[in-house]
Amino acid sequence: MERTEIVLDKNQHGELQLFSDEKKAGLMSIAIIDGRLVVYHTEVDEAFGGRGFAKILLEKLVSYARESAMLIVPLCPYVNAQFHRHPDSYDDVWFKKTV
């Protein structure tokens, strides 16, 4: 059974954690900065590879952003790649910096 948990410190930095059978299987390093959800890194333990856990983390991240009315800044290469591959799925939560 998989479950996720968002853990933030008082400065709004932390992790979106994924547990499988109560073992930490993966995480996303995140922060809330200026009202935006910044994701820096996605990691899944080798022992849990090939089970789609990175996708589960991404789905939870997007769900949390939608529930909290925040945009996601995808600094993480995995999240950035998924946003570019499936822009229609993430357009409503994707912070696209314009210069």
Side-chain angles (χ1 to χ4, degrees):
M1 182 74 170
E2 287 78 45
R3 71 175 174 86
T4 58
E5 182 177 333
I6 294 176
V7 179
L8 297 170
D9 66 18
K10 66 179 179 167
N11 296 317
Q12 300 296 293
H13 291 87
E15 296 179 341
L16 166 56
Q17 301 173 345
L18 173 68
F19 297 88
S20 180
D21 297 324
E22 297 308 312
K23 294 178 184 168
K24 190 172 178 183
L27 62 89
M28 283 183 161
S29 298
I30 61 171
I32 298 174
I33 301 172
D34 295 330
R36 295 184 190 103
L37 185 54
V38 182
V39 57
Y40 299 102
H41 176 72
T42 301
E43 182 177 325
V44 175
D45 187 292
E46 283 182 28
F48 297 94
R51 296 190 200 176
F53 284 1
K55 180 72 172 173
I56 291 171
L57 284 163
L58 178 59
E59 289 171 359
K60 179 60 180 177
L61 179 79
V62 170
S63 175
Y64 180 76
R66 287 180 177 140
E67 291 167 7
S68 304
M70 284 191 275
L71 293 177
I72 297 171
V73 180
L75 300 181
C76 165
Y78 170 74
V79 175
N80 192 35
Q82 292 303 312
F83 277 28
H84 279 89
R85 284 187 192 126
H86 310 285
D88 293 340
S89 297
Y90 305 112
D91 198 52
D92 64 317
V93 293
W94 187 358
F95 177 75
K96 299 175 189 173
K97 183 178 178 183
T98 56
V99 179

